[in-house]
Amino acid sequence: MVVKKPRIVIIGAGMAGLTAANKLYTATGSKDLFELCVVEGGTRIGGRINTSEFGGDRIEMGATWIHGIGGSPIHKIAQETNSLHSHQPWECMDGNTITDDSTTTIAEGGFPLPPSILHPITKLFNALMDYSQAKLPEKGQLDTFHNLAAKAASTAAASNNNKNNLVSVGSFLRQGLDAYWLSRKEEEHGEVKGYGNWSRKLLEEAIFAMHENTQRTYTSAGDLLSLDYGAESEYRMFPGEEITIAKGYLSIIEHLASVLPPGLVQLGRKVTKIEWQPVKGTTVENGCCSSRPVKLHFCDGSVMSADHVIVTVSLGVLKAAIRDHDDDDDDDHNDSGMFCPPLPPYKAEAISRLGFGVVNKLFMQLSPTTTHNHDEHTNQEGFPFLQMVFHSPQSELRHKKIPWWMRRTATLFPIYNNSSVLLSWFAGEEALALESLKDEEITSGVSSTVACFLPQWQKGSGSNKLCNGNVNSEERSHKNEVKFSKVLKSKWGTDPLFLGSYSYVAVGSSGDDLDTLAEPLPKDTASCPLQILFAGEATHRTHYSTTHGAYFSGLREANRLLQHYHCVGIYN
């Protein structure tokens, strides 16, 4: 009698899935223990990691940063594979360190902001974020801004003790800004000479909003009012600088996949249904069901049975799966959702409560015909690292040609110093809107924005007046506007394999929901155990939303299976 090897199928060839496959395949003594397979619905490996090229430069359509190099497993792999250096230009964003020398911050209308206006609000915002993330300063480092942040944190803590008064990061930040304004003298709120229709208070609020917009892209929360304040302090980052990978994030993925034999990863195999057995009734022998308890149905009509399935699809796909089931209930069809039977209510509720946002990147290549003068604010040739301080979309003072979706981004900058490729980040509603815009609409909107913020950068614009609402900027000739030759944008929100970018803990949710999502099924281990396991960035309580969180989750589930089969000494 031939003894069947346990079959482990991993759904998804992204960071979590390939990390799990790498661990299971390379663990000492496990090669002859399992029958291993990775099925990927798309035509490439990498998932939300997608290295590409644009204008001759290497760019990232998805995951971009190593978030802290101290102790990061991604940084360790990048070092071991010599991926941190490249002869080809890459999206290194060497201007992305916000310093006085590298950053140009301009208010709408072409008004460069001096440190005396910019720095206090920036320091306040950073102090508030430090408190929300439980990064408390040393006693000797307390300043006015940290004291204001501490007061706002105390108010938030009191509100959090009242379960009927849920606190968001957005409301906490605004409490801090209000406290700052209350601490100011009346005369300090007045007009600022030389800044057109901007008052000091309007400038301060717009600078604060700029930092909020940047924070939205960090977290993927389309609105910081939906980001839970209590859970923010659980999020952990590695120490050290944040860097990009010279040879591309895909080099990490390719390293993980390189040990797997040909055919183990199957592309174009989209799973449409996962059938599993939540109740007793299946015989268990040697830690495995005598007949494989899980059946995977694919879009081409084929079926595959498995003893264990590691699900690494995005939280967005899981959210769609439970929505589909809810729709099926309305139509009295209970077997057409992704999971059959449906996920237990406690897990479906956790999926529903957690947040999953859309973050998109917009790359634009400057036309070779676009010329400009030496930039007086950055003291260097080339497009500056631009931080944009906008009037609010509702303000009557706003420049009408700047589209609403540009007002919700904070930056426009070259992907490395003097690169002709510019990049902006978008989150939430405008990120989704960007996906459906035509290239012509995008180039027109960005050109109008640049014309208003950097009129001195335009070709032949030395004599043009700033478009501060008091002059007729419409008279500027079209030939003097900045031109773009190519546009490339990510579309994570509408991609059916992802339906978004990364997770966050929404108001009404908590880190407990991340842990609940990570729990394997069925919960009753007296029946056939470990049928469905869950991995991916949204299953890691302290490193969600990151590639290293996905990496750790893949290791966790691989180790869970190795331990289940008593591979002592293998899984540590």
Side-chain angles (χ1 to χ4, degrees):
M1 177 180 174
V2 178
V3 178
K4 286 191 303 182
K5 295 179 184 178
R7 180 181 291 161
I8 301 172
V9 180
I10 300 170
I11 301 176
M15 179 66 81
L18 290 178
T19 299
N22 178 290
K23 182 65 177 179
L24 288 167
Y25 187 78
T26 59
T28 305
S30 69
K31 284 188 177 65
D32 297 324
L33 183 60
F34 304 122
E35 184 182 325
L36 186 61
C37 177
V38 179
V39 292
E40 164 58 47
T43 57
R44 60 175 180 83
I45 62 173
R48 283 168 274 172
I49 290 170
N50 185 9
T51 303
S52 185
E53 277 197 14
F54 184 71
D57 296 334
R58 185 179 288 121
I59 61 165
E60 304 290 357
M61 299 298 289
T64 303
W65 297 98
I66 295 178
H67 291 289
I69 62 175
S72 166
I74 308 302
H75 183 249
K76 183 179 179 182
I77 294 172
Q79 282 183 311
E80 291 172 352
T81 56
N82 195 30
S83 296
L84 297 176
H85 305 282
S86 174
H87 296 297
Q88 179 187 7
W90 78 95
E91 187 183 340
C92 64
M93 292 188 283
D94 45 10
N96 200 31
T97 303
I98 308 299
T99 65
D100 294 344
D101 296 331
S102 67
T103 306
T104 301
T105 305
I106 297 182
E108 185 173 340
F111 301 105
L113 296 182
S116 61
I117 294 177
L118 179 65
H119 284 185
I121 299 299
T122 299
K123 288 178 181 177
L124 172 67
F125 187 89
N126 291 338
L128 288 165
M129 286 308 304
D130 282 348
Y131 267 85
S132 73
Q133 296 166 352
K135 300 174 186 173
L136 305 183
E138 303 279 337
K139 283 186 178 180
Q141 296 177 330
L142 283 172
D143 56 20
T144 301
F145 304 106
H146 283 98
N147 286 331
L148 288 168
K151 289 179 181 177
S154 177
T155 302
S159 297
N160 262 345
N161 288 331
N162 179 0
K163 293 182 179 179
N164 295 321
N165 191 8
L166 298 173
V167 177
S168 68
V169 169
S171 61
F172 166 73
L173 290 171
R174 288 293 164 156
Q175 285 173 10
L177 181 59
D178 288 342
Y180 172 73
W181 282 335
L182 284 173
S183 71
R184 298 274 300 281
K185 296 177 182 177
E186 188 65 33
E187 60 268 21
E188 293 177 319
H189 291 287
E191 297 297 320
V192 185
K193 291 183 179 179
Y195 286 87
N197 49 29
W198 286 99
S199 68
R200 186 175 187 103
K201 189 170 184 180
L202 279 177
L203 276 174
E204 290 175 340
E205 182 164 18
I207 293 166
F208 200 83
M210 176 189 73
H211 289 304
E212 287 175 316
N213 285 335
T214 298
Q215 196 64 33
R216 292 189 308 112
T217 64
Y218 290 165
T219 62
S220 90
D223 188 336
L224 294 181
L225 292 173
S226 67
L227 185 64
D228 186 74
Y229 174 80
E232 191 70 11
S233 61
E234 287 195 79
Y235 185 81
R236 292 289 178 267
M237 284 185 64
F238 289 114
E241 62 180 324
E242 297 186 83
I243 62 172
T244 58
I245 302 174
K247 289 191 171 127
Y249 237 114
L250 195 59
S251 63
I252 308 297
I253 290 292
E254 289 171 340
H255 171 74
L256 292 169
S258 64
V259 302
L260 304 175
L264 193 148
V265 179
Q266 302 176 13
L267 300 179
R269 299 275 279 158
K270 184 177 180 182
V271 174
T272 56
K273 185 186 297 184
I274 303 171
E275 286 188 69
W276 60 292
Q277 299 178 17
V279 295
K280 297 180 182 180
T282 307
T283 306
V284 178
E285 297 176 0
N286 299 321
C288 178
C289 298
S290 57
S291 62
R292 306 197 198 274
V294 187
K295 282 188 178 180
L296 301 179
H297 297 255
F298 296 90
C299 58
D300 62 2
S302 61
V303 177
M304 181 189 296
S305 60
D307 295 288
H308 314 284
V309 173
I310 304 179
V311 177
T312 74
V313 300
S314 75
L315 178 59
V317 171
L318 292 176
K319 282 179 173 290
I322 62 174
R323 281 196 300 268
D324 289 345
H325 170 63
D326 289 342
D327 293 341
D328 294 339
D329 282 348
D330 295 338
D331 297 329
D332 295 325
H333 295 299
N334 294 316
D335 62 349
S336 58
M338 183 178 185
F339 293 92
C340 183
L343 294 175
Y346 71 90
K347 192 174 279 282
E349 288 162 6
I351 290 169
S352 181
R353 283 190 296 262
L354 287 167
F356 192 71
V358 182
V359 176
N360 278 319
K361 299 171 71 175
L362 171 65
F363 296 92
M364 308 184 73
Q365 185 170 35
L366 289 165
S367 169
T369 60
T370 299
T371 59
H372 54 277
N373 299 322
H374 184 82
D375 188 272
E376 61 188 83
H377 301 301
T378 59
N379 197 33
Q380 63 183 21
E381 293 292 339
F383 199 95
F385 184 99
L386 177 62
Q387 290 192 126
M388 296 174 287
V389 176
F390 289 99
H391 284 298
S392 76
Q394 295 78 33
S395 173
E396 288 300 317
L397 302 175
R398 74 187 189 281
H399 186 250
K400 303 301 189 292
K401 274 200 167 184
I402 298 176
W404 70 270
W405 45 269
M406 275 301 293
R407 293 184 180 279
R408 298 275 285 166
T409 188
T411 53
L412 179 66
F413 54 89
I415 61 172
Y416 55 84
N417 284 335
N418 297 319
S419 172
S420 64
V421 175
L422 307 184
L423 169 62
S424 268
W425 294 71
F426 297 82
E429 187 181 0
E430 71 276 14
L432 272 177
L434 188 72
E435 297 190 23
S436 61
L437 291 177
K438 296 177 181 177
D439 288 358
E440 295 77 17
E441 294 176 287
I442 293 172
T443 55
S444 174
V446 177
S447 294
S448 295
T449 305
V450 173
C452 191
F453 277 81
L454 295 172
Q456 80 287 348
W457 199 83
Q458 308 298 315
K459 179 181 177 181
S461 62
S463 61
N464 285 334
K465 295 182 180 179
L466 299 177
C467 53
N468 60 6
N470 299 320
V471 297
N472 185 7
S473 63
E474 312 293 340
E475 294 177 358
R476 183 176 289 113
S477 170
H478 288 296
K479 69 180 181 179
N480 289 336
E481 289 185 355
V482 63
K483 302 289 185 183
F484 297 99
S485 57
K486 285 197 299 185
V487 172
L488 181 64
K489 60 191 176 184
S490 57
K491 297 182 179 181
W492 297 107
T494 53
D495 189 321
L497 294 176
F498 306 101
L499 299 176
S501 302
Y502 38 92
S503 63
Y504 64 94
V505 180
V507 170
S509 182
S510 72
D512 291 343
D513 286 330
L514 295 162
D515 287 342
T516 296
L517 182 53
E519 291 178 9
L521 295 173
K523 200 168 187 179
D524 179 10
T525 55
S527 62
C528 191
L530 297 182
Q531 289 179 39
I532 304 179
L533 300 82
F534 294 86
E537 53 84 12
T539 70
H540 199 290
R541 184 162 186 149
T542 58
H543 291 295
Y544 55 89
S545 81
T546 65
T547 54
H548 58 262
Y551 178 91
F552 287 140
S553 75
L555 280 185
R556 180 192 68 220
E557 297 312 309
N559 289 338
R560 194 192 301 272
L561 284 170
L562 290 169
Q563 189 171 19
H564 173 67
Y565 285 100
H566 308 294
C567 301
V568 179
I570 293 175
Y571 54 87
N572 290 323

